[in-house]
Amino acid sequence: LSVGAVLGYVIGSAGIQQATVCVNVENRLVMDLSVQVLVNGKVRTTIEIPSGQTATVDLAVRFAVPDGGLFEVEAFATTGPRDGDTFFVSSPGTYVVSLRLG
């Protein structure tokens, strides 16, 4: 019982922080794209990107203090092109990820 209480205290005292991931997705193709943006394998939003344009979306992520968190951001279109990046978040703030399709 005491081990569970100590573990609960440690987890509770670690705290949860939030950061913002600013995802820029560039469409380099000659056609418009419907693009899904995923964070750690889960679809967070779908955006429409005209040919030759870049769309930006801000997504909130949460991580434990002081450990931080590893996040994988991926963008993919139903027509096939995809790109992704992985980064480490250790403090609140804005992290910029630039992805290119095509």
Side-chain angles (χ1 to χ4, degrees):
L1 183 62
S2 63
V3 171
V6 169
L7 183 59
Y9 173 77
V10 170
I11 291 172
S13 66
I16 302 294
Q17 293 286 328
Q18 181 172 305
T20 301
V21 180
C22 177
V23 183
N24 299 311
V25 184
E26 180 184 0
N27 177 2
R28 296 175 141 190
L29 299 175
V30 295
M31 63 184 155
D32 297 349
L33 294 176
S34 179
V35 177
Q36 291 188 328
V37 180
L38 292 78
V39 176
N40 291 345
K42 294 184 181 179
V43 175
R44 296 287 299 273
T45 191
T46 301
I47 53 178
E48 302 297 322
I49 310 173
S51 173
Q53 300 294 311
T54 299
T56 300
V57 62
D58 290 336
L59 303 171
V61 295
R62 297 180 190 269
F63 60 96
V65 174
D67 299 329
L70 190 62
F71 294 93
E72 179 183 15
V73 176
E74 185 177 16
F76 73 92
T78 54
T79 56
R82 61 180 2 161
D83 192 15
D85 196 8
T86 302
F87 61 98
F88 184 75
V89 173
S90 60
S91 63
T94 301
Y95 295 78
V96 179
V97 177
S98 296
L99 304 175
R100 296 180 183 132
L101 300 177

